Amino acid sequence: HTAYRRQRQMCIRDSSRDIITLVKKALGNAVSRKHILIEEKDLIDALTEYSKFVLDTLITELTPIHSEIRNFFMNCLARTK
């Protein structure tokens, strides 16, 4: 149970960090657009930016080891365009 608990705590910590990063990006978008509050477009753009960052990070980390996974992600990305 110890290894499982440690992994779960890491996932929870990372999820919290992801939410904070996403909110900071949305806030930055709102400020740069001179919005008084974070608007839906600010949040959507922040989510898009962060998703691209996560995907680029995964591709960079996995490319040397798992080219099939990289190809899978690239195919998924191509389908969304």
Side-chain angles (χ1 to χ4, degrees):
H1 287 308
T2 305
Y4 172 77
R5 183 176 293 142
R6 197 174 314 128
Q7 180 64 34
R8 190 169 177 339
Q9 288 170 341
M10 287 173 54
C11 289
I12 291 169
R13 183 194 67 223
D14 292 345
S15 297
S16 300
R17 193 176 305 151
D18 291 340
I19 291 170
I20 290 168
T21 301
L22 181 62
V23 170
K24 283 182 179 180
K25 286 184 177 294
L27 180 60
N29 289 341
V31 168
S32 69
R33 295 171 180 162
K34 297 182 174 37
H35 296 160
I36 296 171
L37 301 172
I38 295 175
E39 297 181 5
E40 184 177 3
K41 176 93 170 112
D42 302 322
L43 189 56
I44 290 170
D45 289 348
L47 183 57
T48 300
E49 292 170 33
Y50 190 65
S51 296
K52 287 179 183 177
F53 165 74
V54 169
L55 182 59
D56 288 344
T57 301
L58 281 171
I59 289 171
T60 301
E61 290 177 0
L62 297 175
T63 297
I65 302 168
H66 303 288
S67 61
E68 303 90 32
I69 294 175
R70 180 184 182 278
N71 291 336
F72 171 79
F73 281 123
M74 295 306 286
N75 288 334
C76 289
L77 184 61
R79 289 183 199 150
T80 62
K81 292 183 179 182

